[in-house]
Amino acid sequence: MHKGFIRGISAVLIGLWSAMLFSETDGVFDEYRAMLGDDNPAIFVIFDGEEIWFTPAGPKSASLEQCDLGLGPGVVEGAYAQLPRYFADVDRVQDVEARLEHCMTQLQGLTPAEVHGKPYSLRGDLGTELEALVAWIADQSSGLAIAPMQAHAKERATYELGERLFYYRAGPHDFSCATCHEQAGRRIRLQTLPNLTTHQGAAEAYSSWPAYRISQGIVRTMGWRMRDCMRQQRMPELIMGSEATVALQTYLAVNGAGAPMAAPGLKR
Amino acid sequence: MASRIRIRAQLKDDYCEVKALMRHPMETGMRKDQSGAAIPANFIEDVQVLHNDVVVVQAYWGAAVSANPFLGVRFKGGAQGDVVKVVWRDNQGDSGSGETTIR
């Protein structure tokens, strides 16, 4: 009926199977990203995260509004860019996930076991509350420079621990993070591996997580990325918010310091 | 079911470019949950793009379209300030819509 009117229509549907995406080169994936432009399905998860932050939960029926992410209770804008950092109230360095765990247990009365029950979604899930919260908190630092705190002695020690872990070879494959991430121009299958020992490589990686994974349809956090890298190395499970994951994230954040945050990113 | 749509419509040379991001799980019906039970199919079947209440695109989708689908279409005849609306309906009878004005 409107045939004449709709001359010149071109419809582009993005409904690729993840298997197809696996076989694409980065060049094609860049085109895919360009096509989406400023649109990122993570936006829906960001809305969820904001809602969860302000919604009372747990035995104490409290929201996370009084949670101190480092810039004072309730200050979320700009907080992610300065994590991981030392928190005097717990006398340790924490990343966003460790801090959220602290707030959920202290403010909302959840037990650590409840928070750790299922921090990250399994493949095919619709995403966890923690992932949504992290997506929103990271979005509140979008465009700000990565500026992890390195003033306190424990913060510097955490960086050094992260560096040691990065190069530490172990496990059945005698792997370290550096095995894959110490040189440029290498890949696994067709996935380019960033060199995380350089400022540029670390900045690109750190600034783009959390990210919406198109092949999984969910937002993944930096903590998940670390844990999954360990799984791929056949290492013991990296625990959310643990000293090891905070150290590795600190190592990356400090290497990438100064670059603007661009999370949530969009990844294969 | 959340029925949010992010939609933008922009006038380019001689056509209007519409980009819409829809929130939808797009379950194929082929997957199983942790306990082994089949997850019921839940996907968008029908999408319409309307320009000032006139249908300019009618699409029939299926289970092969990704979760949180992104639709990009171009049509001629739009002018700044016109209303562009995207409406979807899924196989469970849910629907969602979003609208914007062409800029």
Side-chain angles (χ1 to χ4, degrees):
Chain A
M1 179 163 60
H2 301 290
K3 279 248 167 73
F5 186 64
I6 59 172
R7 237 174 342 151
I9 278 186
S10 68
V12 185
L13 280 182
I14 295 178
L16 302 175
W17 289 284
S18 53
M20 282 175 71
L21 290 169
F22 270 113
S23 66
E24 303 289 11
T25 66
D26 270 23
V28 173
F29 191 67
D30 285 343
E31 283 174 35
Y32 180 93
R33 251 187 287 236
M35 190 157 55
L36 276 170
D38 296 332
D39 288 305
N40 183 336
I43 189 74
F44 300 126
V45 182
I46 290 169
F47 290 148
D48 284 352
E50 183 176 13
E51 208 177 300
I52 294 165
W53 179 268
F54 290 105
T55 305
K60 294 187 187 171
S61 191
S63 75
L64 291 167
E65 282 169 90
Q66 288 306 305
C67 182
D68 182 357
L69 295 171
L71 303 179
V75 182
V76 180
E77 202 179 324
Y80 189 95
Q82 295 187 21
L83 292 167
R85 68 189 294 154
Y86 174 79
F87 288 90
D89 53 3
V90 287
D91 190 31
R92 59 168 289 217
V93 178
Q94 293 183 314
D95 66 347
V96 67
E97 292 169 10
R99 196 60 191 168
L100 280 172
E101 178 189 347
H102 172 79
C103 290
M104 286 172 177
T105 51
Q106 297 301 309
L107 298 174
Q108 300 184 322
L110 295 169
T111 65
E114 282 170 325
V115 182
H116 277 277
K118 192 181 173 189
Y120 313 122
S121 23
L122 301 168
R123 217 169 226 278
D125 283 352
L126 293 176
T128 64
E129 293 198 346
L130 184 91
E131 286 164 341
L133 282 167
V134 174
W136 176 63
I137 293 167
D139 183 63
Q140 293 287 303
S141 283
S142 187
L144 300 174
I146 301 169
M149 286 289 132
Q150 283 287 288
H152 195 276
K154 287 203 173 180
E155 289 166 341
R156 291 192 295 274
T158 301
Y159 173 83
E160 277 160 30
L161 176 65
E163 185 174 32
R164 282 222 308 282
L165 282 173
F166 187 84
Y167 288 99
Y168 188 75
R169 285 166 63 165
H173 293 342
D174 196 24
F175 248 59
S176 72
C177 306
T179 310
C180 290
H181 291 297
E182 198 184 15
Q183 357 172 29
R186 299 283 170 165
R187 57 183 172 78
I188 285 181
R189 294 180 294 221
L190 286 174
Q191 190 73 10
T192 312
L193 293 166
N195 179 356
L196 299 177
T197 63
T198 65
H199 167 73
Q200 200 200 344
E204 281 172 14
Y206 193 83
S207 65
S208 57
W209 289 93
Y212 183 83
R213 288 290 300 266
I214 292 159
S215 58
Q216 303 177 14
I218 36 186
V219 169
R220 293 302 200 177
T221 67
M222 193 46 139
W224 172 86
R225 181 63 273 172
M226 291 294 141
R227 197 185 68 163
D228 206 55
C229 274
M230 288 296 165
R231 182 193 61 78
Q232 288 168 320
Q233 295 177 54
R234 310 297 186 266
M235 298 277 207
E237 182 177 320
L238 187 63
I239 294 166
M240 180 200 83
S242 63
E243 196 181 6
T245 188
V246 174
L248 284 167
Q249 291 180 56
T250 303
Y251 177 67
L252 284 186
V254 172
N255 285 354
M261 282 299 300
L266 189 62
K267 309 237 176 210
R268 171 189 66 76
Chain B
M1 182 54 58
S3 55
R4 296 196 197 107
I5 299 186
R6 295 263 299 174
I7 171 170
R8 330 162 175 236
Q10 197 173 13
L11 208 56
K12 301 265 170 111
D13 305 327
D14 63 339
Y15 60 87
C16 171
E17 184 171 70
V18 181
K19 289 180 171 182
L21 186 59
M22 296 159 229
R23 179 169 214 182
H24 202 283
M26 299 299 285
E27 282 292 346
T28 62
M30 307 293 280
R31 298 196 315 145
K32 289 173 179 167
D33 65 17
Q34 295 297 305
S35 64
I39 303 173
N42 180 17
F43 52 82
I44 295 174
E45 284 187 320
D46 183 290
V47 184
Q48 289 185 338
V49 181
L50 297 97
H51 168 231
N52 287 342
D53 293 329
V54 176
V55 177
V56 291
V57 172
Q58 168 82 58
Y60 300 108
W61 284 4
V65 176
S66 76
N68 299 325
F70 179 72
L71 171 72
V73 295
R74 295 169 175 180
F75 69 87
K76 289 188 176 176
Q80 269 183 7
D82 288 359
V83 175
V84 171
K85 193 172 175 185
V86 175
V87 184
W88 61 255
R89 185 182 50 75
D90 71 20
N91 66 325
Q92 296 189 352
D94 266 333
S95 60
S97 70
E99 66 174 54
T100 186
T101 51
I102 300 176
R103 51 179 181 84

